Amino acid sequence: DDESKFYLLDNIVIPNNITSIGSYQFCLSRDIRYVEIPNTVVEINQKSFFCYYDKLYYRGTLSDWCNVSLSSLGANIIAHAEEVYMLDNNNEYYKIDKLMIPDGVKTINENQFACFHKVTEITIPNSVEKIKSYAFMSCKNINKIVIPSSVTEMGEGVFISCNNLKEVIFEENCQVSTIRSRFFKDCSSLSKLV
């Protein structure tokens, strides 16, 4: 039947002509070795890949990924991968364990890096003006984050459940005027907010 046809897949490779991935496309899949997604995909919907897989290969750069629209937390395919690989400026794959948002990115979208458990460090450049809701939710292995002075708006729950987050520094002249609800909820290690 249609609902179980993806159940035995080992690998999923999305073709370059696909721009949007609908809800619940691969939510029944199990034991997936790797998923490969092209940078032509600009929209991923709820629970498109609601399964776990060893490796995610994104055929685009981190800048490209920052332009992908995720309809909900359940749409974030990063959350289910043991290892995430993206292309560098030389068109070579590299494993992401430190998240260095590229200069030139103005907005970090809602849920963009939520549940990216393998990341140990996040660097936000001065080009970023908006960090939308739940952008870094449950990034459990980061312990420090610096919010640049260029940021003017931050959504709710940006750092919710970042259990090891100890220190948040707002740069001098930071323009954020409101800390929204659940911003630091369940950040049990937070000891310094400057």
Tab-separated table of all heavy atoms in Angstrom, residues 42-74:
chain	number	residue	atom	x	y	z
A	42	VAL	N	13.274	24.743	-1.096
A	42	VAL	CA	13.150	25.995	-0.343
A	42	VAL	C	12.082	25.911	0.737
A	42	VAL	O	11.925	26.835	1.533
A	42	VAL	CB	12.863	27.199	-1.278
A	42	VAL	CG1	14.059	27.464	-2.184
A	42	VAL	CG2	11.596	26.977	-2.086
A	43	GLU	N	11.359	24.780	0.767
A	43	GLU	CA	10.300	24.616	1.764
A	43	GLU	C	10.227	23.153	2.192
A	43	GLU	O	10.196	22.254	1.349
A	43	GLU	CB	8.956	25.051	1.166
A	43	GLU	CG	7.788	24.859	2.096
A	43	GLU	CD	6.467	25.196	1.430
A	43	GLU	OE1	6.204	24.706	0.307
A	43	GLU	OE2	5.695	25.943	2.040
A	44	ILE	N	10.209	22.945	3.505
A	44	ILE	CA	10.046	21.601	4.055
A	44	ILE	C	8.896	21.669	5.046
A	44	ILE	O	8.882	22.513	5.943
A	44	ILE	CB	11.335	21.110	4.738
A	44	ILE	CG1	12.490	21.081	3.724
A	44	ILE	CG2	11.122	19.724	5.343
A	44	ILE	CD1	13.839	20.743	4.327
A	45	ASN	N	7.930	20.779	4.862
A	45	ASN	CA	6.725	20.820	5.685
A	45	ASN	C	6.764	19.822	6.837
A	45	ASN	O	7.641	18.964	6.910
A	45	ASN	CB	5.497	20.598	4.803
A	45	ASN	CG	5.235	21.798	3.928
A	45	ASN	OD1	4.841	22.845	4.405
A	45	ASN	ND2	5.508	21.653	2.634
A	46	GLN	N	5.791	19.940	7.691
A	46	GLN	CA	5.713	19.188	8.936
A	46	GLN	C	5.938	17.692	8.751
A	46	GLN	O	5.305	17.062	7.926
A	46	GLN	CB	4.345	19.419	9.579
A	46	GLN	CG	4.165	18.701	10.879
A	46	GLN	CD	2.796	18.970	11.484
A	46	GLN	OE1	2.010	19.719	10.955
A	46	GLN	NE2	2.533	18.346	12.596
A	47	LYS	N	6.880	17.169	9.525
A	47	LYS	CA	7.169	15.736	9.599
A	47	LYS	C	7.418	15.088	8.244
A	47	LYS	O	7.072	13.933	8.018
A	47	LYS	CB	6.059	15.017	10.354
A	47	LYS	CG	5.947	15.469	11.789
A	47	LYS	CD	4.903	14.718	12.564
A	47	LYS	CE	4.847	15.246	13.990
A	47	LYS	NZ	3.838	14.613	14.788
A	48	SER	N	8.057	15.821	7.338
A	48	SER	CA	8.399	15.263	6.029
A	48	SER	C	9.303	14.051	6.164
A	48	SER	O	9.173	13.080	5.440
A	48	SER	CB	9.121	16.309	5.175
A	48	SER	OG	8.303	17.395	4.926
A	49	PHE	N	10.253	14.141	7.092
A	49	PHE	CA	11.205	13.063	7.351
A	49	PHE	C	11.124	12.707	8.823
A	49	PHE	O	12.075	12.882	9.557
A	49	PHE	CB	12.632	13.501	7.006
A	49	PHE	CG	12.854	13.695	5.553
A	49	PHE	CD1	12.599	14.911	4.967
A	49	PHE	CD2	13.317	12.658	4.771
A	49	PHE	CE1	12.799	15.100	3.619
A	49	PHE	CE2	13.524	12.839	3.419
A	49	PHE	CZ	13.263	14.063	2.839
A	50	PHE	N	10.013	12.212	9.262
A	50	PHE	CA	9.856	11.895	10.670
A	50	PHE	C	10.374	10.491	10.930
A	50	PHE	O	9.639	9.537	11.130
A	50	PHE	CB	8.401	12.050	11.095
A	50	PHE	CG	8.237	12.235	12.567
A	50	PHE	CD1	8.739	13.364	13.185
A	50	PHE	CD2	7.589	11.290	13.329
A	50	PHE	CE1	8.599	13.553	14.546
A	50	PHE	CE2	7.446	11.470	14.688
A	50	PHE	CZ	7.946	12.599	15.293
A	51	CYS	N	11.699	10.388	10.830
A	51	CYS	CA	12.402	9.131	11.053
A	51	CYS	C	13.831	9.508	11.407
A	51	CYS	O	14.224	10.663	11.301
A	51	CYS	CB	12.374	8.262	9.804
A	51	CYS	SG	13.079	9.049	8.339
A	52	TYR	N	14.614	8.553	11.841
A	52	TYR	CA	16.016	8.821	12.168
A	52	TYR	C	16.901	8.237	11.086
A	52	TYR	O	16.603	7.198	10.511
A	52	TYR	CB	16.370	8.231	13.539
A	52	TYR	CG	15.694	8.996	14.640
A	52	TYR	CD1	14.474	8.588	15.137
A	52	TYR	CD2	16.269	10.164	15.137
A	52	TYR	CE1	13.836	9.324	16.128
A	52	TYR	CE2	15.642	10.900	16.118
A	52	TYR	CZ	14.433	10.473	16.611
A	52	TYR	OH	13.800	11.209	17.569
A	53	TYR	N	18.002	8.937	10.817
A	53	TYR	CA	18.935	8.472	9.808
A	53	TYR	C	20.339	8.837	10.237
A	53	TYR	O	20.561	9.742	11.037
A	53	TYR	CB	18.608	9.044	8.425
A	53	TYR	CG	18.020	10.415	8.433
A	53	TYR	CD1	18.823	11.538	8.393
A	53	TYR	CD2	16.642	10.591	8.503
A	53	TYR	CE1	18.275	12.807	8.411
A	53	TYR	CE2	16.090	11.862	8.532
A	53	TYR	CZ	16.909	12.961	8.480
A	53	TYR	OH	16.372	14.211	8.511
A	54	ASP	N	21.288	8.105	9.695
A	54	ASP	CA	22.682	8.287	10.081
A	54	ASP	C	23.251	9.605	9.579
A	54	ASP	O	23.884	10.329	10.324
A	54	ASP	CB	23.543	7.132	9.558
A	54	ASP	CG	23.170	5.812	10.215
A	54	ASP	OD1	22.672	5.829	11.344
A	54	ASP	OD2	23.379	4.772	9.574
A	55	LYS	N	23.038	9.887	8.296
A	55	LYS	CA	23.682	11.060	7.701
A	55	LYS	C	22.703	11.849	6.847
A	55	LYS	O	21.914	11.274	6.103
A	55	LYS	CB	24.867	10.630	6.836
A	55	LYS	CG	25.960	9.969	7.634
A	55	LYS	CD	27.106	9.524	6.762
A	55	LYS	CE	28.150	8.844	7.639
A	55	LYS	NZ	29.271	8.368	6.880
A	56	LEU	N	22.801	13.175	6.976
A	56	LEU	CA	22.063	14.078	6.119
A	56	LEU	C	23.076	14.832	5.271
A	56	LEU	O	24.008	15.437	5.809
A	56	LEU	CB	21.245	15.083	6.938
A	56	LEU	CG	20.679	16.275	6.165
A	56	LEU	CD1	19.625	15.813	5.164
A	56	LEU	CD2	20.096	17.297	7.113
A	57	TYR	N	22.926	14.765	3.960
A	57	TYR	CA	23.757	15.524	3.042
A	57	TYR	C	22.882	16.600	2.412
A	57	TYR	O	21.914	16.284	1.714
A	57	TYR	CB	24.343	14.622	1.944
A	57	TYR	CG	25.403	13.696	2.449
A	57	TYR	CD1	25.082	12.416	2.887
A	57	TYR	CD2	26.730	14.101	2.497
A	57	TYR	CE1	26.061	11.566	3.359
A	57	TYR	CE2	27.718	13.249	2.970
A	57	TYR	CZ	27.367	11.985	3.399
A	57	TYR	OH	28.340	11.142	3.874
A	58	TYR	N	23.218	17.834	2.676
A	58	TYR	CA	22.509	18.951	2.070
A	58	TYR	C	23.390	19.482	0.948
A	58	TYR	O	24.501	19.942	1.200
A	58	TYR	CB	22.220	20.033	3.107
A	58	TYR	CG	21.539	21.246	2.531
A	58	TYR	CD1	20.258	21.147	1.995
A	58	TYR	CD2	22.177	22.471	2.502
A	58	TYR	CE1	19.635	22.251	1.449
A	58	TYR	CE2	21.561	23.583	1.951
A	58	TYR	CZ	20.294	23.469	1.423
A	58	TYR	OH	19.679	24.562	0.883
A	59	ARG	N	22.893	19.390	-0.299
A	59	ARG	CA	23.671	19.824	-1.463
A	59	ARG	C	23.565	21.337	-1.633
A	59	ARG	O	23.079	21.844	-2.634
A	59	ARG	CB	23.208	19.094	-2.725
A	59	ARG	CG	23.567	17.623	-2.722
A	59	ARG	CD	23.349	16.937	-4.059
A	59	ARG	NE	22.097	17.180	-4.722
A	59	ARG	CZ	21.012	16.412	-4.624
A	59	ARG	NH1	21.016	15.353	-3.854
A	59	ARG	NH2	19.919	16.708	-5.289
A	60	GLY	N	24.008	22.023	-0.619
A	60	GLY	CA	24.018	23.476	-0.609
A	60	GLY	C	24.893	23.931	0.539
A	60	GLY	O	25.381	23.121	1.333
A	61	THR	N	25.073	25.225	0.642
A	61	THR	CA	25.902	25.802	1.698
A	61	THR	C	25.044	26.133	2.909
A	61	THR	O	23.805	26.084	2.853
A	61	THR	CB	26.585	27.089	1.206
A	61	THR	OG1	25.564	28.049	0.903
A	61	THR	CG2	27.442	26.832	-0.025
A	62	LEU	N	25.689	26.508	3.977
A	62	LEU	CA	24.975	26.950	5.170
A	62	LEU	C	24.142	28.193	4.855
A	62	LEU	O	23.026	28.349	5.355
A	62	LEU	CB	25.967	27.214	6.301
A	62	LEU	CG	25.419	27.397	7.689
A	62	LEU	CD1	24.474	26.285	8.106
A	62	LEU	CD2	26.549	27.521	8.686
A	63	SER	N	24.646	29.070	3.994
A	63	SER	CA	23.866	30.245	3.552
A	63	SER	C	22.585	29.808	2.847
A	63	SER	O	21.519	30.382	3.075
A	63	SER	CB	24.679	31.120	2.599
A	63	SER	OG	25.659	31.824	3.285
A	64	ASP	N	22.687	28.793	1.990
A	64	ASP	CA	21.504	28.270	1.304
A	64	ASP	C	20.494	27.734	2.323
A	64	ASP	O	19.292	27.986	2.217
A	64	ASP	CB	21.873	27.142	0.334
A	64	ASP	CG	22.737	27.590	-0.821
A	64	ASP	OD1	22.664	28.768	-1.213
A	64	ASP	OD2	23.509	26.738	-1.329
A	65	TRP	N	20.990	26.977	3.306
A	65	TRP	CA	20.112	26.393	4.319
A	65	TRP	C	19.354	27.476	5.085
A	65	TRP	O	18.198	27.304	5.448
A	65	TRP	CB	20.902	25.513	5.280
A	65	TRP	CG	20.023	24.926	6.343
A	65	TRP	CD1	19.963	25.289	7.653
A	65	TRP	CD2	19.044	23.898	6.180
A	65	TRP	NE1	19.010	24.555	8.307
A	65	TRP	CE2	18.428	23.694	7.417
A	65	TRP	CE3	18.626	23.133	5.087
A	65	TRP	CZ2	17.415	22.757	7.621
A	65	TRP	CZ3	17.618	22.204	5.284
A	65	TRP	CH2	17.034	22.018	6.528
A	66	CYS	N	19.991	28.613	5.305
A	66	CYS	CA	19.346	29.716	6.038
A	66	CYS	C	18.155	30.288	5.280
A	66	CYS	O	17.350	31.018	5.859
A	66	CYS	CB	20.360	30.811	6.356
A	66	CYS	SG	21.532	30.325	7.644
A	67	ASN	N	18.002	29.950	4.000
A	67	ASN	CA	16.862	30.420	3.196
A	67	ASN	C	15.737	29.403	3.094
A	67	ASN	O	14.706	29.685	2.493
A	67	ASN	CB	17.339	30.802	1.791
A	67	ASN	CG	18.226	32.021	1.817
A	67	ASN	OD1	17.936	32.992	2.501
A	67	ASN	ND2	19.315	31.963	1.075
A	68	VAL	N	15.913	28.221	3.666
A	68	VAL	CA	14.877	27.195	3.610
A	68	VAL	C	13.802	27.526	4.647
A	68	VAL	O	14.105	27.835	5.792
A	68	VAL	CB	15.466	25.791	3.875
A	68	VAL	CG1	14.367	24.740	3.951
A	68	VAL	CG2	16.480	25.431	2.806
A	69	SER	N	12.558	27.459	4.224
A	69	SER	CA	11.424	27.699	5.113
A	69	SER	C	10.968	26.372	5.710
A	69	SER	O	10.688	25.414	4.983
A	69	SER	CB	10.279	28.340	4.323
A	69	SER	OG	9.126	28.440	5.123
A	70	LEU	N	10.891	26.331	7.038
A	70	LEU	CA	10.445	25.127	7.747
A	70	LEU	C	9.091	25.423	8.359
A	70	LEU	O	8.945	26.371	9.140
A	70	LEU	CB	11.455	24.757	8.830
A	70	LEU	CG	12.889	24.538	8.336
A	70	LEU	CD1	13.858	24.462	9.496
A	70	LEU	CD2	12.972	23.293	7.484
A	71	SER	N	8.071	24.628	8.031
A	71	SER	CA	6.711	24.935	8.471
A	71	SER	C	6.501	24.755	9.971
A	71	SER	O	5.592	25.331	10.539
A	71	SER	CB	5.698	24.076	7.710
A	71	SER	OG	5.847	22.718	8.081
A	72	SER	N	7.339	23.944	10.608
A	72	SER	CA	7.192	23.694	12.046
A	72	SER	C	8.471	23.037	12.552
A	72	SER	O	9.348	22.680	11.772
A	72	SER	CB	6.008	22.762	12.311
A	72	SER	OG	6.293	21.466	11.811
A	73	LEU	N	8.548	22.863	13.865
A	73	LEU	CA	9.693	22.158	14.438
A	73	LEU	C	9.816	20.768	13.828
A	73	LEU	O	10.904	20.299	13.523
A	73	LEU	CB	9.559	22.063	15.959
A	73	LEU	CG	10.644	21.266	16.665
A	73	LEU	CD1	12.019	21.863	16.413
A	73	LEU	CD2	10.364	21.173	18.142
A	74	GLY	N	8.720	20.107	13.599
A	74	GLY	CA	8.712	18.771	13.014
A	74	GLY	C	9.209	18.730	11.579
A	74	GLY	O	9.450	17.674	11.022
